[in-house]
Amino acid sequence: MQDELLLKVNDLRAAIDGKEILKGINLEIRPGEVHAIMGPNGSGKSTLSGVLAGDPRFTVTGGSATLHGVDLLALSPENRSHEGLFLSFQYPVEIPGVSMVNFMRAAVNAKRAYLHQEPLSASEFLKLMRQKRAIVELDNKLASRSVNEGFSGGEKKRNEIFQMAVLEPRLSILDETDSGLDIDALRIVAGGVNKLKTEHNATIVITHYQRLLDYIRPDFVHILYKGRIVYSGGPELALELEEKGYDWIKQQVDNEQQ
Amino acid sequence: MSSSNALDQYIELYEAQREAIDARAPEALNRLRPAALEALRAAGHLPRKGDEGYARTDVDAMFAPDYGINIMRVPSPVDVAASLRCDVPNISTLMGVVAGDEFRPTASLLRNLPAGVTLCTLSQAQREMPRVLDRYLGRLSAAAATDTAAQLNTLLAQDGVLLHVAAGVECEKPLQLVNIFNAGVPSLAPRRVLVVVEAGASARLLVCDHSQRPDVDYLSDAVTEIFLEDGARLDYYNLEESTPRTRRAAALFASLGSHARISINATTLQGGTTRNNCTIDLNAPGAEASVAGMVTGSDAQHTDNYTLVRHHAPRCNSTQLFKYILDDDASGAFEGLIQVDHGAAFTEAFQTNRNLLASDRATMHTQPQLEIYCDEVKCGHGATTGQLDARALFYMRSRGIPEAEARKMLMEAFMADVIDTITLPSLHERLRMLVERRLSGDRRGCGDCSASCPTPAIVK
Ligand SMILES: Nc1ncnc2c1ncn2[C@@H]1O[C@H](COP(=O)(O)OP(=O)(O)OP(=O)(O)O)[C@@H](O)[C@H]1O
Ligand SMILES: [Mg+2]
């Protein structure tokens, strides 16, 4: 593993509608690592991923976040993507009237423009789509449909990983990509993520379930509760949570606060 | 103009110039003027903002500036047609140019018209097909006594265009009329079009409105009357791409016989103040009307569409789909009324108006209405006004698509179903491109047309 930091989050605070949700997040991720973030519903996991990706609903109220040294919070969402950040949405958005093909072409060529590369030719682009679709066994039929429109839950999640495969991010955040997947779909999605793993990129896996972590082995597990990372450990922590639930953590934290 | 009433000046003008006007106009038009004058006197003024059906549009103000009218029929510069290439790639249309209110068909146009298809001036029609004019001209406009702008057209129009398709003739080639303002002085053009598609015949007509000089005030006061006899079919496309100093008051009337079908697409890409009235009468069983409209508004542009669809007979079918994207200080209005008569059983009539406000200063007024005097009908209407879907926008940006491009893609997607009402593939593609260009402000691809139409971008 390399020494330099891929992501450094320092005392990050964020609010929505004036309500503070993230209350000082600290997180360091190095290339090649997989970090799992777990935690009870409403603890701020999606908020953290949204803030890192630049979701305009959230206001950053303090702290910093850098991606390979670049100040993430100063960048537009599109430039965060170009710099190598990818968020697999907990709830992928349906975009009626925008076809998957046009959507992906715009995304690919925007990134290429950012990197001062020529746009892909039509045949290069189609070839790329074909290759990447295979990684998550995404049905060719979906390519001609509007983005996520009429996709099943599983198709939406596979579509997220497909997009990740196309964009080849440095840091991927998978926000509950496993929820709503049956075991076969889970295997395909997790398999896709593993195929895309290299020693240069890193993954944050947000999940409630150990079963995903059986496929995507985390190096670190963090527990997010009430807007803070209250506990960090190795892969065994996920197993412990699976067994004991969150109550012991909640009690511990809530007692400390009193 | 000192008077606060624009109408008076036109009535005075007519009375002073009556002989000159009538002397240069076909008899069939002159015959209509007394009734129009009476209707205008009864109305007293052009519609003002707040009048019934004119919640947001001041027609009186549109007509107020001092416009010149070409009463003496001074020919326009001949090069208009040559300089203008409002070309629709991959369709060769049979194109005629109307400069101001003067239609001068070129020899090549006349040569290429298929047998059974007539496209000529009303004056020529007066000489060669008087019975068509006698039978149809003014029949629909005269019945709309309260459409004051239309009555004023009848009072002042000295010529116009006739499209006639003989019974059973299918005119394969699309026909195109390009209305163009090119005068160097403020001008009013009373444009008059009569379309008669006889039984079992079909045609497609594309009408484009342009203004060549952005620094001059123009006013188009247009009346289009369309008659579709039994089983006839017409696709009618109207595209306005004019200037902020162009005003347009346009009335379209269509009367449909049994199993006749009309498909209308009225698009305002740019303009100053536009008021379109569209009145459709489904007079006999099985008639069908599809009316679609699309507006892209920026700066201080104001666009108002008013539709009236009347179901008089059983088993007729009408759909309306109007969509607006309004940016900057642009304003829009849509009022639509579906009327279903006692006898119009098994009517299906639907109306949809959806609007996107791209700036927080843009405003939209929408008022769908149904009047149903019959059971056993399926009718519905819906209207929404909102912003671009913020979730979709963020999702796209998170994939690296720049905000402006994402907005443009979402707006194009928003308009897609209106564009899809255009069945002619090449025109469909052309309109898609024009909308894309309007959204991005990019004029490339307008070929070698010398009419420099500035296009302000919606997405900056
Ligand atoms: N629009 C909003 N306005 C106010 N509060 C909000 C809004 N959206 C989310 N929240 C609150 O923010 C907190 C964090 O939500 P978040 O979605 O980040 O949780 P999560 O950890 O991802 O939960 P889950 O496991 O259910 O996905 C919750 O308490 C939620 O109620
Ligand atoms: Mg969540």
Side-chain angles (χ1 to χ4, degrees), chain B residues 223-457:
Chain B
V223 169
T224 303
E225 291 175 286
I226 297 172
F227 295 87
L228 302 189
E229 295 301 345
D230 294 351
R233 121 143 257 182
L234 179 73
D235 288 358
Y236 179 88
Y237 308 113
N238 186 193
L239 180 65
E240 181 183 2
E241 231 185 335
S242 67
T243 57
R245 295 182 69 165
T246 302
R247 289 114 186 149
R248 165 182 149 122
L252 180 145
F253 304 94
S255 164
L256 276 69
S258 162
H259 294 94
R261 275 199 290 164
I262 193 166
S263 172
I264 295 175
N265 183 297
T267 293
T268 310
L269 282 180
Q270 41 176 332
T273 302
T274 299
R275 164 71 182 209
N276 296 320
N277 288 349
C278 176
T279 305
I280 306 218
D281 286 297
L282 303 164
N283 293 317
E288 278 178 46
S290 152
V291 187
M294 190 161 59
V295 174
T296 49
S298 63
D299 301 295
Q301 187 179 331
H302 177 73
T303 314
D304 182 354
N305 281 293
Y306 180 92
T307 65
L308 170 60
V309 175
R310 293 188 287 219
H311 285 253
H312 303 292
R315 275 179 279 278
C316 294
N317 196 319
S318 71
T319 55
Q320 297 177 61
L321 176 64
F322 279 81
K323 287 192 170 181
Y324 291 55
I325 296 176
L326 301 173
D327 195 13
D328 304 324
D329 297 287
S331 51
F334 174 79
E335 287 194 26
L337 173 58
I338 299 171
Q339 275 180 351
V340 182
D341 283 358
H342 298 286
F346 311 112
T347 287
E348 292 191 18
F350 298 94
Q351 183 191 74
T352 307
N353 170 227
R354 290 185 59 205
N355 313 299
L356 254 184
L357 301 182
S359 113
D360 49 17
R361 301 186 312 278
T363 56
M364 181 70 202
H365 162 80
T366 174
Q367 191 176 320
Q369 283 171 277
L370 286 173
E371 276 177 22
I372 301 174
Y373 304 101
C374 182
D375 302 333
E376 304 207 67
V377 298
K378 275 192 216 159
C379 293
H381 62 67
T384 57
T385 299
Q387 275 94 41
L388 278 183
D389 179 354
R391 292 320 292 158
L393 196 58
F394 172 59
Y395 187 72
M396 296 173 87
R397 296 179 73 190
S398 81
R399 277 15 177 184
I401 303 174
E403 182 178 9
E405 190 178 349
R407 292 170 66 86
K408 193 168 76 89
M409 289 171 76
L410 290 173
M411 289 181 186
E412 282 171 31
F414 175 75
M415 286 301 193
D417 55 351
V418 192
I419 298 176
D420 286 345
T421 64
I422 296 174
T423 52
L424 191 60
S426 45
L427 185 61
H428 178 279
E429 180 53 23
R430 166 73 173 177
L431 200 60
R432 202 192 54 72
M433 194 190 82
L434 284 175
V435 168
E436 189 183 326
R437 203 193 275 161
R438 171 68 165 115
L439 294 174
S440 62
D442 184 356
R443 283 308 295 190
R444 273 172 306 169
C446 236
D448 46 2
C449 180
S450 68
S452 53
C453 314
T455 305

Side-chain angles (χ1 to χ4, degrees), chain A residues 55 57 78 82 87 160 163, chain B residues 391 395 397 399-400 403:
Chain A
D55 187 335
R57 288 186 302 178
E78 46 270 41
H82 299 148
L87 170 60
E160 295 293 285
Q163 294 170 43
Chain B
R391 292 320 292 158
Y395 187 72
R397 296 179 73 190
R399 277 15 177 184
E403 182 178 9

